[in-house]
């Protein structure tokens, strides 16, 4: 596997420029799957919402893409991030696929079902580790790092920092001098605060719709790439321009029940109307699918006779007209 060599002096200059603000590196429990071969991009192109051919294009090809794999009804099966590991178009295409670790077997079966006679090999990468990097100033973090296979901006949103792929057991302090290993729960709290879904709890397979899940806001869909599984409903919804529900960050200002908030709990308005469903969370933060018409109303969840209040917000990184 190609190691992208990046000079350590550039990293040291970056760290000095942070004025004491250390980058926090969070170990992610997501799985990595290698898709390699002459037809790797063409194979994935028909299965995912984004334009995967960008990863094998000549010139300034992106290092990472966000996408969803949909079922034939247009609902999300898997949220993935794709990484380009080959260095140029002269090399054999080598794409790394990041997914929820709990569905690793399922997504392998899904890919192999559609592989047919494609010149592609699909295999897990247990020798690699995946990290989220949240520096104080994402604009000044270098794009490559010594000892890293890949260090690239998270393709979903600038507020999510960077993604780092390294060999298992690699010394992060050598890859990013001055960095600190953080608690992964702090990473999840950060993405809940930003309204970024990730994994099967936030995006239940066969239930979540890609545009309600803000896929277009997170650079995860191409409306010009041509056919892919589940395209019809997604394209029709996009061209109608009407999305009444969206995933939104929610916060609980008061005490929570000892058992927390159950996934899938109904969210109600003050008048008792159903406003949406709670998807998942950590502590006082979470993410919920809500009707935009109730975005600014007082909301609550009823649990065993208790009333738990919550409030929803629109992420600052969203387009300004998104919730209108």
């Amino acid at each position: 596997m190609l190691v992208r060599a990046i000079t350590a002096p550039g990293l040291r200059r970056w760290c000095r420029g942070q004025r004491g603000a250390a980058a926090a590196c969070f170990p992610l429990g997501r799985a990595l799957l290698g898709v390699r071969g002459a037809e790797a991009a063409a194979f994935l192109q028909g299965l995912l919402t984004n334009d995967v051919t960008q990863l094998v294009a000549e010139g300034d090809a992106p290092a990472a893409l966000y996408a969803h794999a949909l079922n034939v009804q247009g609902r999300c099966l898997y949220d993935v991030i794709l990484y380009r590991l080959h260095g140029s178009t002269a090399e054999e295409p080598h794409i790394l696929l990041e997914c929820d670790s709990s569905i690793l077997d399922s997504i392998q079966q899904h890919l192999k079902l559609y592989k047919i006679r494609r010149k592609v090999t699909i295999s897990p990468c247990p020798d690699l580790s995946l990290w989220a990097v949240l520096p104080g100033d994402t604009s000044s973090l270098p794009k490559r790092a010594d000892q890293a296979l890949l260090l690239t901006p998270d393709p979903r949103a600038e507020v999510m920092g960077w993604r780092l792929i390294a060999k298992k057991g690699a010394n992060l302090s050598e890859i990013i001098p001055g960095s600190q290993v953080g608690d992964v729960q702090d990473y999840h709290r950060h993405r809940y605060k930003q309204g970024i879904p990730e994994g099967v709890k936030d995006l239940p397979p066969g239930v979540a719709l890609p545009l309600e899940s803000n896929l277009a806001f997170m650079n995860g869909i191409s409306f010009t790439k041509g056919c892919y599984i589940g395209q019809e409903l997604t394209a029709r919804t996009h061209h109608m321009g009407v999305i009444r529900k969206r995933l939104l960050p929610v916060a609980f200002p008061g005490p929570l029940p000892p058992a927390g908030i159950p996934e899938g709990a109904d969210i109600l308005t003050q008048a008792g109307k159903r406003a949406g469903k709670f998807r998942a969370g950590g502590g006082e933060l979470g993410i919920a699918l809500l009707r935009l018409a109730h975005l600014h109303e007082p909301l609550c969840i009823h649990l065993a006779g208790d009333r738990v209040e919550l409030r929803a917000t629109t992420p600052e990184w969203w387009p300004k007209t998104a919730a209108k």
Side-chain angles (χ1 to χ4, degrees):
M1 195 171 287
L2 176 68
V3 175
R4 298 186 180 281
I6 304 153
T7 59
L11 279 162
R12 285 194 288 268
R13 286 195 297 272
W14 168 73
C15 289
R16 286 196 297 267
Q18 293 302 291
R19 298 179 183 176
C25 300
F26 301 94
L28 302 182
R30 307 262 287 173
L32 293 169
L33 193 64
V35 182
R36 191 167 193 166
E39 298 181 285
F43 165 59
L44 294 172
Q45 181 78 340
L47 300 177
L48 300 176
T49 55
N50 215 335
D51 186 358
V52 185
T53 62
Q54 296 178 74
L55 293 177
V56 294
E58 295 184 4
D60 191 19
L65 285 177
Y66 179 57
H68 283 186
L70 310 180
N71 63 15
V72 292
Q73 289 81 31
R75 294 182 181 271
C76 176
L77 288 176
Y78 317 109
D79 63 305
V80 302
I81 298 180
L82 304 176
Y83 303 95
R84 174 175 53 85
L85 291 189
H86 56 277
S88 70
T89 55
E91 299 179 36
E92 179 184 65
H94 188 180
I95 297 171
L96 210 56
L97 183 151
E98 170 196 330
C99 65
D100 190 310
S101 58
S102 69
I103 52 88
L104 179 59
D105 290 341
S106 176
I107 197 170
Q108 286 184 85
Q109 293 173 9
H110 180 75
L111 294 176
K112 289 176 181 177
L113 176 65
Y114 291 97
K115 178 185 173 184
I116 312 177
R117 294 183 178 86
R118 294 277 192 182
K119 296 178 181 178
V120 172
T121 59
I122 302 167
S123 58
C125 303
D127 59 325
L128 299 180
S129 60
L130 175 69
W131 300 77
V133 182
L134 296 177
D137 178 9
T138 56
S139 65
S140 57
L141 185 65
K143 293 184 180 180
R144 296 186 290 270
D146 202 18
Q147 296 190 31
L149 293 179
L150 193 69
L151 178 60
T152 183
D154 190 310
R156 297 171 295 182
E158 186 177 356
V159 293
M160 290 308 296
W162 296 65
R163 262 343 199 222
L164 168 66
I165 299 172
K167 292 283 188 180
K168 275 278 176 67
N171 189 334
L172 288 199
S173 64
E174 293 182 5
I175 295 176
I176 304 178
S179 63
Q180 298 177 355
V181 176
D183 184 340
V184 71
Q185 295 307 317
D186 289 335
Y187 163 79
H188 291 307
R189 286 170 54 81
H190 171 75
R191 66 177 185 80
Y192 284 135
K193 186 176 181 180
Q194 301 298 337
I196 301 285
E198 185 177 285
V200 296
K201 289 187 176 181
D202 299 344
L203 300 164
V207 175
L209 288 167
L211 297 184
E212 289 183 351
S213 304
N214 307 320
L215 188 63
F217 296 169
M218 295 187 290
N219 311 304
I221 188 167
S222 169
F223 295 107
T224 60
K225 63 171 278 187
C227 295
Y228 57 89
I229 295 174
Q231 178 203 22
E232 185 176 353
L233 175 63
T234 307
R236 184 166 66 245
T237 303
H238 169 69
H239 291 300
M240 288 175 60
V242 179
I243 300 174
R244 294 184 173 86
K245 294 184 288 186
R246 287 193 180 274
L247 280 183
L248 291 163
V250 294
F252 299 91
L256 293 176
I261 305 297
E263 297 163 14
D266 286 330
I267 298 175
L268 307 174
T269 67
Q270 214 168 25
K273 293 183 179 179
R274 288 188 176 181
K277 285 186 177 293
F278 180 73
R279 282 279 174 82
E284 76 280 11
L285 299 175
I287 195 167
L289 182 68
L290 292 171
R291 294 185 179 277
L292 294 177
H294 302 304
L295 172 60
H296 301 296
E297 296 181 25
L299 301 172
C300 68
I301 295 175
H302 288 166
L303 296 174
D306 292 331
R307 173 189 171 98
V308 182
E309 296 184 352
L310 71 152
R311 62 174 182 270
T313 55
T314 302
E316 292 185 3
W317 60 270
W318 275 19
K320 298 303 180 186
T321 58
K324 294 183 178 179

